[in-house]
Structure formats: C-alpha cells, structure tokens
C-alpha cells in the first residue's frame, strides 16, 4: 500500500556448505538463513549478545528410513516392526532437534491429506512406540536368533541434523541385534540409488507433499519410519540491508 516500506529486490544466494552460510550471516554478507541450520548452531545464535534473531518454522521435510521390503530380511513384517520399535524417536527429537520435530506416520503433520499419528488406531501406532524388549525378540521370531548385519546408505550432502539422526539410529538398532553399518555415498550416486537401487536400507530427506510421496512410493518399495523436522530461520537483529525506509510510490 502507498506510504509503506517496500523491498527493491531480493537476492537468493545458493550456499550448499553450512559453515559458509553461517560465516556469511555473521559477517553481514547475507541477511537471512532459512532451513538447515544445525540446532547446535541455532543455539549459539540464540545466545544473548549474538546480534541474531532465531525463529522456528514448520516444514514439510521428513527424515525417512527406507527398507527394501521386497528383499529379505525386510520382507518379513516382524523385522520391519522390530526396526520401528527399536528407534526412540523422542530421544532423537529431544537430543538432535532440541524438541523441534515431531514423529510422523506417513507424511508431515502440516499436510491435511496425511493422517496424524494420534489419528491412527492403536494397532498401528504401537509399532511407532519405543519398545526395545519387543524389538529384540522379533528378529529371533523371524529366523534371526543372533540378529543380522545390514547397511544404511546416506549422503553427507544433507549435513546436520539429518546425518546426526542416521548415526543415532545405529546404536538403537544395535540394541535390538540389528547391526547396521552406515555407508555415506557421494550425492550423485546416492540420488540414483535412492530411487530403489539400494540393497537394504536408506536414509533420506523427503519433502512430504502428497504428490512426491505418491510417486516415490511406487518406486521405492518402501516401508519407513520418519520424523517431521522443523526448521530455524536466523537473521541479524539489525534491520535487513534492504531499503525499508523509502515509502512506496503512490
């Protein structure tokens, strides 16, 4: 409206490296960072005297653990249930995300087309609960009395906090006798493998819109457990370095 401040322009800088983005924000080279700020860095930016403002924001981003449920041992539902019940989602949410994420069943809670966890029947949600004792028993019932070895592929392209979640899964799965090795793949190869060419398990960041999920579901033969991730938006506490004082022409 006439008489109100306006922005002459907006430059969106592509900076894949997190440390480069953080350094640019601190130096004043850029004014704003959205999505992908590691929670540890966000905590640092929140400290008094940092000169920064950090705000939370919802996203449709999921961190997903896929399993090849067309291949053994994942074609046995007891193994898939064991994997799901071995993962303490709340510990990951509290320790990796400092409380700024939520467990999800099929898609992000921001998408009304997906049911929320609390809307699902108990016979379904029981497998989303952390139940280490049941998780340890199920692989034996499926024919793996000593557990089994497997591999999770991931890529360092996603960085923190996503890689941190995958690494947290390893110890939890080991408690159930599922000895998972983490294999970080170069992003180009990873992006091809994640379409269904991985052999066992894969960790992946997914934008949880309904169309994407439907398309991926046909290719990935997936059965997954996931966490919907919140994001941080950080900016300088000073006014942004755009022209916000000149009134918009009438």
């Amino acid at each position: 409206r006439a008489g109100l401040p306006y922005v002459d322009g907006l430059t969106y800088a592509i900076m894949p490296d997190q440390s480069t983005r953080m350094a640019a924000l601190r130096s004043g080279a850029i004014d704003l960072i959205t999505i992908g700020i590691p929670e540890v860095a966000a905590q640092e930016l929140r400290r008094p005297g940092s000169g920064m403002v950090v705000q939370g924001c919802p996203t449709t981003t999921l961190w997903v653990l896929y399993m090849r449920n067309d291949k053994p041992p994942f074609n046995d539902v007891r193994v898939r249930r064991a994997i799901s019940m071995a993962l303490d989602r709340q510990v990951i949410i509290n320790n990796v995300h400092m409380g700024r994420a939520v467990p999800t069943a099929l898609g992000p809670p921001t998408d009304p087309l997906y049911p929320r966890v609390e809307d699902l029947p108990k016979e379904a949600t029981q497998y989303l609960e952390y139940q280490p004792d049941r998780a340890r028993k199920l692989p034996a019932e499926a024919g793996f009395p000593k557990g089994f070895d497997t591999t999770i592929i991931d890529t360092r392209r996603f960085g923190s906090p996503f890689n941190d979640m995958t690494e947290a899964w390893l110890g939890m799965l080991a408690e159930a006798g599922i000895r998972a090795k983490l294999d970080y793949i170069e992003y180009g190869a990873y992006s091809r493998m994640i379409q269904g060419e991985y052999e066992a398990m894969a960790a992946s960041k997914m934008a949880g819109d309904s169309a994407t999920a439907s398309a991926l579901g046909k290719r990935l033969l997936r059965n997954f457990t996931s966490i919907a991730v919140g994001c941080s938006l950080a900016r300088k506490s000073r006014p942004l370095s755009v022209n916000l004082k000149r009134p918009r022409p009438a």
Side-chain angles (χ1 to χ4, degrees):
R1 290 183 296 174
L4 294 180
Y6 70 102
V7 177
D8 289 324
L10 175 66
T11 300
Y12 202 106
I14 307 300
M15 297 182 180
D17 182 67
Q18 290 176 349
S19 60
T20 301
R21 292 197 300 270
M22 298 294 292
L25 179 66
R26 290 190 178 97
S27 70
I30 60 176
D31 298 294
L32 186 73
I33 291 177
T34 62
I35 304 180
I37 303 173
E39 189 56 38
V40 173
Q43 294 278 47
E44 179 184 342
L45 294 176
R46 291 189 184 101
R47 289 187 306 181
S50 69
M52 301 287 177
V53 174
V54 180
Q55 299 169 268
C57 52
T59 74
T60 60
T61 300
L62 307 179
W63 191 240
V64 178
L65 178 59
Y66 292 108
M67 293 166 260
R68 284 297 302 255
N69 58 11
D70 61 329
K71 293 184 175 184
F74 309 105
N75 59 349
D76 192 309
V77 69
R78 291 169 293 188
V79 169
R80 301 197 299 270
R81 288 171 177 172
I83 290 169
S84 183
M85 291 189 290
L87 302 181
D88 192 335
R89 294 160 176 79
Q90 198 58 51
V91 163
I92 293 174
I93 288 168
N94 292 345
N95 295 339
V96 177
H97 293 284
M98 309 303 174
R100 295 182 52 261
V102 294
T104 182
L106 300 173
T110 50
D111 190 330
L113 295 181
Y114 286 113
R116 295 173 179 266
V117 171
E118 56 267 27
D119 296 331
L120 297 175
K122 179 64 177 177
E123 54 265 33
T125 59
Q126 63 176 313
Y127 302 115
L128 301 176
E129 298 170 359
Y130 178 53
Q131 300 187 59
D133 291 338
R134 290 185 68 187
R136 279 189 288 268
K137 293 175 182 176
L138 285 172
E141 294 177 10
F144 301 94
K146 297 182 180 180
F148 60 89
D149 298 296
T150 188
T151 299
I152 302 174
I153 68 162
D154 195 355
T155 177
R156 294 192 185 278
R157 170 78 173 268
F158 296 133
S160 178
F162 301 103
N163 295 155
D164 300 337
M165 282 189 280
T166 308
E167 291 172 10
W169 288 339
L170 301 182
M172 296 176 180
L173 292 171
E175 288 292 320
I178 301 166
R179 298 173 295 276
K181 180 184 74 172
L182 179 55
D183 189 4
Y184 281 114
I185 305 293
E186 183 274 326
Y187 184 72
Y190 170 89
S191 63
R192 293 188 296 273
M193 293 175 70
I194 198 64
Q195 302 302 316
E197 297 178 11
Y198 58 93
E199 289 299 318
M201 305 171 78
S204 179
K205 184 168 66 171
M206 186 180 83
D209 60 275
S210 307
T212 301
S214 177
L216 286 173
K218 295 175 182 177
R219 290 180 289 170
L220 288 168
L221 297 168
R222 67 181 184 183
N223 182 284
F224 66 77
T225 181
S226 61
I227 290 176
V229 180
C231 78
S232 292
L233 178 152
R235 64 176 175 83
K236 290 280 191 179
S237 57
R238 60 171 172 76
L240 300 183
S241 58
V242 292
N243 189 349
L244 297 180
K245 294 184 178 180
R246 192 173 64 193
R248 182 184 296 276

